[in-house]
């Protein structure tokens, strides 16, 4: 949103872990209570900073999964990258009552608010669902009239993050459609797609270009680039496509 | 460290926003940068960013020139803006 007021510089501050919750075998949601938190917009992220005993810092970005309607609480969802420096600590070693250094909320470009309208097209690969989930939760709370489609690619059924909540929201929140694709393993009787996101799938699921949808794509870097390139080829204007690359895929 | 800065580690300008907003008192992803090389103007959210333990580089999506480089060393930030001709900031609400 252009013309936003001065926000001030970001400083590191402490949040306290008030809840953790496994979402899938490899992902965990972490809810933080951050004193003085002034709220956030759906799609924004925070930076976390871990400091080792010898003073060495590691910083990583994590999207906010919770909607702004949650007020002073911030929930992140972290996928464990087995060889990673930071994510295994967050998923395995962080517990209720622990303190965590963070700064945020960050960003304004990869943000969707109900007032921006739609139709909305969301494309997620793996943990790329996290900032899009903040948008979906916000939409359910504040803008359920915006027609929304989510195309969500996961490796297997068990790796779909927020699966039950997405099922519930498609029932309770009219105008929200969710299409899943599973790339590695499909259970018997699976009715969704069973391959990587490709042009045919995007043509099926995306709003037609003449409806001028707002599109947000998030996930591993190669996933985001693939989907964005295909959509551009299908005639979607780049000004209406926003991307958030999370980094390489393991 | 080569791998961390390789092209496979390309992120969006959004990934540099926390580091930038620790220096500038504004939301930075909607700040417009004009490339000193090719003249293209993009908001920082549309640029490419490379982030590593050594620092952050924001690159022009049209010609790949380094628009902004930020390094942090011993509590100081080093900001190199040679690649940016203009930063357009909406700062007055
Ligand atoms: C704006 C932004 C928002 C993000 N939001 C989230 C989020 O909501 N949830 C989340 O889980 N992550 C998110 N990420 C990714 C996160 O910042 C870290 O990159 C990720 O957790 C890996 O950190 P690490 O220290 O565990 O791994 P590192 O020590 O950085 O990397 C270890 C190895 O894993 C590889 N690797 C790095 N990142 C990934 C990846 N994403 N997938 C597979 N392999 C990888 C590296 O190339 C390296 O070989 C986000 C990234 C950005 C830029
Ligand atoms: Zn350029």
């Amino acid at each position: 949103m252009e013309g936003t007021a001065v926000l001030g510089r970001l400083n590191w501050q402490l949040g306290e872990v008030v809840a953790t919750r496994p979402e899938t075998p490899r992902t965990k949601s972490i809810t933080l209570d951050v004193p003085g938190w002034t709220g956030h917009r759906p799609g924004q992220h925070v930076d976390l900073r871990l400091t080792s005993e010898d003073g060495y810092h590691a910083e990583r970005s994590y999207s906010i999964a919770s909607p702004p309607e949650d007020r002073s609480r911030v929930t992140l969802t972290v996928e464990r990258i087995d060889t990673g420096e930071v994510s295994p600590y967050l998923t395995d070693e962080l517990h209720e009552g622990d303190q965590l250094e963070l700064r945020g909320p960050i960003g304004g470009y990869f943000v969707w608010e109900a007032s921006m309208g739609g139709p909305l097209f969301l494309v997620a690969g793996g943990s790329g669902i996290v900032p899009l989930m903040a948008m979906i939760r916000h939409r359910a709370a504040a803008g359920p009239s915006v027609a929304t489609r989510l195309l969500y690619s996961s490796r297997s059924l068990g790796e779909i993050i927020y699966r039950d909540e997405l099922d519930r929201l498609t029932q309770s929140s009219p105008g929200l459609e969710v299409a899943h694709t599973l790339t590695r393993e499909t259970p018997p009787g699976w009715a969704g797609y069973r391959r990587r996101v490709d042009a045919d799938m995007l043509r099926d699921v995306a709003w037609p270009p003449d409806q001028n949808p707002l599109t947000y794509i998030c996930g591993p870097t190669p996933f985001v680039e693939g989907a964005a390139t295909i959509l551009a080829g299908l005639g979607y204007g780049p000004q209406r496509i926003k991307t958030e690359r999370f980094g390489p895929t393991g | 460290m080569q791998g961390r800065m390789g092209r496979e580690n390309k992120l969006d300008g959004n990934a540099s926003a926390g580091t930038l907003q620790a220096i500038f008192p504004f939301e930075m992803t909607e700040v417009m940068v004009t490339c000193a090389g090719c003249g293209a103007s993009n908001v920082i959210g549309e640029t490419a960013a490379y982030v590593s333990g050594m620092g952050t580089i924001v690159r022009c999506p049209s010609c790949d020139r380094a628009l902004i480089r930020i390094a942090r060393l011993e509590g100081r930030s080093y900001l190199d803006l040679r690649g940016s001709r203009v930063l357009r900031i909406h700062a007055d609400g």
Side-chain angles (χ1 to χ4, degrees):
Chain A
M1 212 169 287
E2 284 206 328
T4 7
V6 173
L7 295 165
R9 290 175 50 210
L10 286 176
N11 289 305
W12 295 104
Q13 61 183 126
L14 284 176
E16 183 181 326
V17 178
V18 291
T20 65
R21 178 186 128 99
E23 299 283 355
T24 69
R26 300 198 310 127
T27 58
K28 195 180 251 181
S29 287
I30 298 163
T31 300
L32 299 164
D33 182 61
V34 187
W37 188 256
T38 50
H40 64 273
R41 304 169 69 199
Q44 287 186 310
H45 65 275
V46 297
D47 288 346
L48 299 187
R49 177 163 82 172
L50 304 186
T51 306
S52 66
E53 272 160 30
D54 60 8
Y56 165 81
H57 294 301
E59 294 174 18
R60 298 288 184 274
S61 300
Y62 292 95
S63 301
I64 301 173
S66 46
E69 287 74 18
D70 273 12
R71 302 279 163 194
S72 66
R73 296 279 165 91
V74 179
T75 300
L76 315 175
T77 302
V78 178
E79 174 185 1
R80 186 186 208 282
I81 307 293
D82 293 338
T83 54
E85 204 178 320
V86 170
S87 60
Y89 170 80
L90 298 174
T91 55
D92 304 357
E93 283 169 52
L94 200 63
H95 298 291
E96 247 179 83
D98 289 349
Q99 305 261 307
L100 204 53
E101 217 177 354
L102 77 156
R103 67 179 175 204
I106 299 165
Y109 174 76
F110 195 84
V111 157
W112 179 79
E113 284 166 333
S115 60
M116 294 164 70
L120 188 58
F121 183 45
L122 308 175
V123 185
S127 56
I129 188 66
V130 176
L132 308 184
M133 196 62 185
M135 298 175 191
I136 290 170
R137 287 167 166 163
H138 164 66
R139 174 192 172 279
S145 60
V146 178
T148 300
R149 289 180 182 166
L150 167 68
L151 174 60
Y152 183 9
S153 174
S154 307
R155 288 181 196 157
S156 66
L157 190 69
E159 295 208 32
I160 300 178
I161 307 170
Y162 318 128
R163 179 157 62 100
D164 294 344
E165 185 179 350
L166 285 170
D167 285 351
R168 260 198 325 274
L169 283 172
T170 50
Q171 305 294 320
S172 66
S173 178
L176 172 66
E177 298 168 77
V178 177
H180 288 286
T181 186
L182 301 180
T183 57
R184 291 209 184 154
E185 220 183 280
T186 48
W190 173 250
Y193 295 102
R194 47 184 78 212
R195 58 182 198 269
R196 287 174 181 280
V197 168
D198 59 22
D200 284 340
M201 197 185 298
L202 283 167
R203 209 180 283 115
D204 272 5
V205 181
W207 304 98
D210 61 11
Q211 291 194 22
N212 204 20
L214 259 175
T215 300
Y216 294 79
I217 308 172
C218 186
T221 296
F223 174 90
V224 170
E225 292 186 350
T229 305
I230 295 169
L231 283 173
L234 293 175
Y236 293 85
Q239 300 78 14
R240 302 277 287 177
I241 301 179
K242 296 187 176 186
T243 55
E244 177 100 290
R245 293 164 174 85
F246 272 9
T249 317
Chain B
M1 293 308 272
Q2 170 58 31
R4 293 283 292 158
M5 292 306 269
R7 294 293 136 162
E8 72 277 16
N9 281 308
K10 181 175 177 179
L11 301 172
D12 296 276
N14 206 18
S16 70
T19 300
L20 286 169
Q21 206 184 321
I23 301 170
F24 295 96
F26 315 107
E27 198 294 294
M28 294 298 288
T29 62
E30 306 227 66
V31 166
M32 180 86 79
V33 191
T34 302
C35 175
C38 74
S41 290
N42 291 278
V43 296
I44 287 179
E46 294 167 333
T47 63
Y50 298 85
V51 176
S52 80
M54 293 183 297
T56 296
I57 303 180
V58 174
R59 290 188 176 275
C60 175
S62 307
C63 75
D64 211 38
R65 175 181 289 243
L67 301 170
I68 304 174
R69 293 174 192 266
I70 306 159
R72 257 192 89 71
L73 206 63
E74 291 165 1
R76 292 187 173 84
S77 292
Y78 295 82
L79 183 64
D80 175 347
L81 288 167
R82 257 177 307 178
S84 305
R85 187 179 301 153
V86 180
L87 293 182
R88 195 189 74 191
I89 301 170
H90 278 258
D92 52 11

